[in-house]
Amino acid sequence: MEGTMVQKAAEQAEYPLFIPFIMAGDPDPETTIDLALKLEEAGAHILELGIPYSDPLADGPLLQRSASRALQNEMSLRRAVELIPFMRQRGLTIPVIAFTYYNPVLQMGEKYFFDQLKENGGDGVLIPDLPYEESRDIHNMAAARGLVNITLVAPTSGGRIEKLAGEAEGFLYCVSSLGVTGTRDSFPPEAYSFIEKVKKNSSVPVAAGFGISTPAQVKSLDGVCDGVIVGSAIMKKVEENLERFKNPEEKSNALDAVKSFVSSLISS
Amino acid sequence: MKTMYPDEKGRYGNFGGKFVPETLMYALEELEEALDEAVQDQAFVDEYHQTLREYAGRPTALTYAERITHYLGGASVYLKREDLLHTGAHKLNNAIGQALLARRMGKKKIVAETGAGQHGVATATVCAAMGLECKVFMGEEDTRRQELNVFRMELLGAEVVPVHSGSKTLKDATNDAIRYWVANVEDTFYLIGSVVGPHPYPRMVRDFQRVIGDETREQTVQKTGSLPDAVFACVGGGSNAIGMFHPFLNDDVKLYGAEAAGEGMHTDNHAATINKGTKGVIHGSLTYLIQDENGQIIEPYSISAGLDYPGIGPEHAHLAESGRVTYEGVTDKEALDALTLLTKKEGILPAVESAHALHLAFQEAEKMSKEQTIVICLSGRGDKDVHSIKKFMEKEEQ
Ligand SMILES: Cc1ncc(COP(=O)(O)O)c(C=O)c1O
C-alpha cells in the first residue's frame, strides 16, 4: 500500500517534528484558516485541527474555554472539515488531522465523516476518547480511504504499550504526563524514561504532547522523541490576543504574535 | 450472581463499552480485575452485607400503602422504602460497595460527582466511616440549589469542589471528576454515583444496587404469596431502577421506568433521555443522550436535580430497545401532585425523584384489578426538597 500523507510527512521531515493544534472556530473560522497558514510558514509539519465539543473530557480549562468560544461561533465537525479546502486553496500543503471527540463523529455518521474528510483534503483523525479496543472499525474506515487514525499511549499504558505502538500509523502520540491538556511548568522526570520506552516499541515516529509550552521543554525532549505536539500554549496565545484578532487593523499583528511564539518553539 | 450481560467488552446489546482516554484504560482494567476478584471472595461479600445491615439499616421495609390503595381503587400498592436507609436514599448501597472495594484495592483517596448531593452525601458518609479522603465535584448551580447537602458533606469531612465549567450541573461535575481522576489515577478511586460511565461501572453499580430488588422479591412473596404484577422506579442515571428491576428481568413482571419530562415532552425543557434522546457517547458509555444534530450535549431540565442528567445507563438503553422495560416521561407537575398525594395519604414525604415513579405507578394502579399488586421504589426521602417544592407551589399559585 502507498503510504499515507501523514506517514510521508512524518518520515520525510527533518526532526524534530512540530505538530501544532489549533481549535477550529476560535477566535473565528476565518482566522483558523489564517492560523493554519501561519503555522506552516513557521515550519509546522502536520496540523491538528481541533473540533470544539461541549464536553471535552480530556481537556483542561484553557481548551475548554477555547471550545466554548468556537461553539459560540457555531463551529461543528462538519464546518471544521469544510474549512480544509479553504486552507488548501490558500496554499496549505501539510497534512491535516481532525482532532475530535467521538460523539460528533457518531452523530455525523462514521462513514460519511470519513468520506467528507477525504473529499475535503483531510489526512487523518485523532479521537482522544476512543481507546484501542473500541477503535477497530474507525481504524479500518480510515485505512480504506488512505487516512490515518492516530494512536495515543499514556504513562499508565504499561503492558498495553506494545500493542498500541504496533498499531500506530503516521506517528505515535505519546501523552507525556497524566491529566488533561494544559500548559505545565515541568514534566515529571519519569516522562523521559517513559517516552524512551515507547520509542523502543514503535516503528513510526514518536511525538510527545500534553503540557508542552516552552522552548526549554521542547529542547529537553530533543533526542528523546521524534517530535512534539503543542496545543494549549498556542491557544493561550490566541486567547491573549482575542481583542486584537477582532480589530482588522491589529489582526495581522496578532497572527504574527502566534507565529513568532511557534517559531521560538521550533527553533529551540 | 449470574447475569447474561454485559459481555467482555462491557456491551449491553448495542450499548455500553469503554469510551475513555487511553490514560484511564489501565485503571478500568485494574478495577475490573479487583471487582471480579472481590465478588468471588466470600469475606468481601459478607462484609458488604454486614455493613448494609448494621450500618445502613437494611433490609428496608416494604410498606403496604393502604390509604393510597383504597383511594386509587385498583391494584394493591406497596412501597420499597429506600427513604429509610441511612442518609435517606438508595445511593448509600452503592457507595458502601465501592468504598469497600477501594479500601481493598489500597486506594485511600476517593473522588465522586454529585448532582442533587445525595450521592455526594452517601460517599462522604462512607468515607468518614472508613477513614478515606473524599473529594466531591458538584456543579456551581447545584451547590446553590442544594446548599444544605453541601454543608452536610463538609460536616462529614469531605471537600466539595464547585464546578464552573459548561452548564455547571451534574454532567459538568462528572466531567471534572473524570478529569481529576485522569490526573490522579494512580492513587485515587472514582466512586461513580449511578449505572453510568465506562465498563465496568454500570455493571458494578447495578450489582451493588440489586439488593433493592432481591429484598423486594422476597418481601413481596412473603406478604402477598406471589411476585408483584408490576414494578416502578424513577430513572436518572438509572441505579435505583436497575437495582430494583434486575432480579425481575426473567419473570412475568411488568417493569416501568419514569423519566423526568420537566415542563413537558413537547418542550425543550426535559430530561427524558430514552424517549427524546438519540444514540451517542457520554461519560465513556454508548447510550441514549440528549444532544443536538452536531453531537453537542444539551443540558437537560427537571425540577429534580437527581434526574437532571443528559444520559442514561447503557443497560437501560438496551432494556428500552428490547422492549423489556417501558419508559415514560413524567412532568414536574405530575410528580409534585403524586408527592403531595403520598404525603397526605400515607405520611411519607418522598424525594421529588421518587415522586416521578409514584405518578406513573398511580396511573397504572388505577387501571389494574384489586387482586393485582404493584411495588414502587421509593428511592429517597423528600426532606432535601422541601425548599424547591415550596417554590414550585408558590409559582403554580400565581
Ligand atoms: C432519591 C433519588 N432517587 C433517584 C435518583 C436518580 O438516580 P438513579 O437513577 O441513579 O437512581 C437520585 C439521584 O440523585 C436520588 O437522589
Side-chain angles (χ1 to χ4, degrees):
Chain A
M1 194 184 86
E2 250 187 74
T4 61
M5 290 297 292
V6 177
Q7 190 183 339
K8 279 186 207 149
E11 282 168 2
Q12 293 166 8
E14 259 179 58
Y15 289 167
L17 291 174
F18 188 81
I19 306 173
F21 165 103
I22 52 173
M23 183 73 76
D26 180 27
D28 58 74
E30 186 61 38
T31 307
T32 300
I33 300 169
D34 299 330
L35 282 169
L37 284 140
K38 285 283 168 193
L39 291 168
E40 178 163 345
E41 266 172 53
H45 300 99
I46 296 170
L47 176 69
E48 276 186 15
L49 184 62
I51 314 301
Y53 184 49
S54 57
D55 293 75
L57 264 186
D59 288 312
L62 202 125
L63 290 188
Q64 289 175 39
R65 286 197 300 274
S66 175
S68 303
R69 287 191 295 269
L71 288 173
Q72 267 164 18
N73 292 331
E74 299 192 347
M75 187 44 65
S76 64
L77 178 57
R78 181 190 297 267
R79 293 206 170 122
V81 169
E82 287 168 1
L83 290 180
I84 304 172
F86 291 98
M87 297 172 179
R88 297 285 182 226
Q89 263 169 32
R90 286 181 47 194
L92 190 83
T93 62
I94 58 175
V96 176
I97 289 171
F99 182 109
T100 177
Y101 286 87
Y102 188 38
N103 196 48
V105 177
L106 273 176
Q107 288 326 296
M108 193 166 164
E110 293 162 289
K111 284 212 176 79
Y112 180 70
F113 161 69
F114 277 111
D115 286 341
Q116 289 297 303
L117 186 63
K118 176 82 186 169
E119 210 175 295
N120 283 280
D123 298 285
V125 65
L126 192 164
I127 307 179
D129 58 347
L130 196 67
Y132 177 86
E133 286 75 1
E134 298 286 1
S135 68
R136 302 303 77 212
D137 290 349
I138 287 285
H139 188 86
N140 295 335
M141 277 182 235
R145 291 162 181 80
L147 306 173
V148 292
N149 172 44
I150 299 296
T151 302
L152 288 99
V153 285
T156 49
S157 294
R160 300 165 54 82
I161 291 179
E162 233 169 276
K163 175 168 75 180
L164 299 172
E167 165 91 351
E169 286 173 356
F171 64 92
L172 180 59
Y173 190 137
C174 191
V175 176
S176 52
S177 40
L178 293 179
V180 291
T181 59
T183 56
R184 288 176 179 65
D185 295 333
S186 64
F187 295 131
E190 317 84 79
Y192 300 95
S193 55
F194 160 63
I195 296 169
E196 271 164 22
K197 185 168 167 204
V198 172
K199 230 190 115 37
K200 270 198 209 110
N201 282 282
S202 179
S203 53
V204 296
V206 172
F210 271 52
I212 300 172
S213 53
T214 64
Q217 286 172 333
V218 175
K219 203 169 162 114
S220 78
L221 287 165
D222 193 16
V224 183
C225 54
D226 307 307
V228 293
I229 300 149
V230 179
S232 295
I234 294 174
M235 294 317 290
K236 189 172 173 205
K237 280 281 168 243
V238 169
E239 186 172 70
E240 284 166 5
N241 285 284
L242 280 180
E243 287 311 311
R244 296 169 80 200
F245 275 116
K246 274 193 213 132
N247 181 343
E249 280 167 28
E250 296 234 34
K251 183 168 171 179
S252 82
N253 289 340
L255 286 169
D256 286 335
V258 177
K259 184 182 168 186
S260 74
F261 170 67
V262 169
S263 299
S264 77
L265 292 175
I266 293 180
S267 62
S268 54
Chain B
M1 276 193 221
K2 195 161 167 281
T3 42
M4 298 170 296
Y5 49 77
D7 65 15
E8 72 278 8
K9 281 180 79 184
R11 294 294 181 123
Y12 305 81
N14 296 319
F15 303 96
K18 284 183 201 176
F19 297 88
V20 295
E22 170 61 23
T23 309
L24 289 180
M25 287 302 282
Y26 118 97
L28 294 176
E29 284 170 7
E30 179 190 60
L31 175 63
E32 192 173 354
E33 243 168 68
L35 174 67
D36 288 347
E37 190 199 67
V39 298
Q40 301 292 329
D41 178 356
Q42 197 53 44
F44 177 83
V45 176
D46 289 346
E47 190 180 16
Y48 164 68
H49 285 290
Q50 186 188 359
T51 312
L52 289 180
R53 226 174 26 246
E54 293 170 14
Y55 181 72
R58 299 210 76 89
T60 57
L62 184 74
T63 303
Y64 175 46
E66 189 176 356
R67 282 177 26 91
I68 283 280
T69 300
H70 289 157
Y71 176 82
L72 297 171
S76 294
V77 176
Y78 286 82
L79 306 169
K80 179 58 175 168
R81 301 290 305 280
E82 293 303 297
D83 60 316
L84 296 178
L85 197 68
H86 180 39
T87 73
H90 70 290
K91 297 280 176 187
L92 192 69
N93 299 323
N94 167 50
I96 287 174
Q98 287 194 58
L100 287 171
L101 183 62
R103 197 170 66 179
R104 185 185 165 94
M105 292 169 72
K107 306 229 176 190
K108 297 213 164 56
K109 293 185 184 168
I110 304 290
V111 59
E113 82 295 336
T114 198
Q118 289 306 110
H119 174 59
V121 167
T123 305
T125 298
V126 290
C127 287
M130 294 185 199
L132 301 167
E133 211 177 289
C134 179
K135 200 188 275 283
V136 180
F137 286 85
M138 188 171 187
E140 195 189 358
E141 183 68 32
D142 290 334
T143 60
R144 242 177 285 128
R145 287 200 277 190
Q146 305 283 338
E147 207 183 316
L148 270 181
N149 272 342
V150 175
F151 183 65
R152 268 171 96 189
M153 287 184 269
E154 287 171 348
L155 209 53
L156 287 159
E159 182 195 348
V160 179
V161 186
V163 172
H164 308 290
S165 65
S167 44
K168 307 178 175 64
T169 60
L170 178 57
K171 92 175 163 70
D172 311 287
T174 308
N175 288 341
D176 267 18
I178 295 175
R179 289 179 185 123
Y180 179 85
W181 189 37
V182 175
N184 298 276
V185 60
E186 287 164 321
D187 66 353
T188 301
F189 186 99
Y190 178 30
L191 205 158
I192 209 165
S194 192
V195 283
V196 299
H199 179 66
Y201 279 103
R203 187 190 78 196
M204 171 169 68
V205 177
R206 174 192 80 196
D207 289 346
F208 286 142
Q209 287 292 6
R210 68 169 284 153
V211 62
I212 305 173
D214 284 335
E215 285 176 12
T216 300
R217 216 185 141 89
E218 210 180 296
Q219 290 166 321
T220 316
V221 171
Q222 221 169 47
K223 283 193 156 66
T224 71
S226 60
L227 292 177
D229 295 284
V231 170
F232 298 81
C234 67
V235 189
S239 67
N240 86 89
I242 211 81
M244 184 60 150
F245 295 163
H246 223 264
F248 295 107
L249 280 181
N250 298 321
D251 297 306
D252 185 20
V253 175
K254 285 195 173 134
L255 304 172
Y256 293 91
E259 297 196 290
E263 294 176 355
M265 300 286 259
H266 56 283
T267 70
D268 287 336
N269 296 327
H270 61 75
T273 313
I274 286 184
N275 283 289
K276 305 288 278 188
T278 49
K279 279 183 200 179
V281 165
I282 181 168
H283 298 139
S285 183
L286 183 57
T287 183
Y288 288 113
L289 56 129
I290 303 176
Q291 59 184 329
D292 70 13
E293 72 279 7
N294 292 316
Q296 309 292 346
I297 296 172
I298 296 173
E299 183 58 21
Y301 164 79
S302 164
I303 186 170
S304 76
L307 303 184
D308 205 350
Y309 183 67
I312 176 87
E315 190 165 0
H316 285 291
H318 174 64
L319 292 170
E321 196 176 67
S322 74
R324 176 64 188 93
V325 180
T326 306
Y327 297 87
E328 284 183 33
V330 174
T331 64
D332 289 355
K333 177 153 182 11
E334 289 167 336
L336 284 196
D337 288 347
L339 175 146
T340 312
L341 187 63
L342 188 78
T343 310
K344 293 235 154 75
K345 293 277 179 211
E346 300 290 345
I348 297 170
L349 172 60
V352 250
E353 287 83 7
S354 323
H356 288 71
L358 289 173
H359 170 80
L360 198 57
F362 293 170
Q363 211 179 25
E364 292 301 314
E366 276 184 340
K367 296 185 234 160
M368 294 167 73
S369 77
K370 288 200 163 81
E371 291 69 46
Q372 292 181 295
T373 307
I374 67 165
V375 181
I376 308 161
C377 184
L378 206 75
S379 55
R381 64 177 184 227
D383 307 42
K384 69 180 173 62
D385 298 318
V386 177
H387 192 65
S388 51
I389 297 168
K390 183 162 172 271
K391 259 188 15 203
F392 186 88
M393 287 179 173
E394 283 166 0
K395 214 171 85 192
E396 283 288 293
E397 268 166 29
Q398 282 167 14

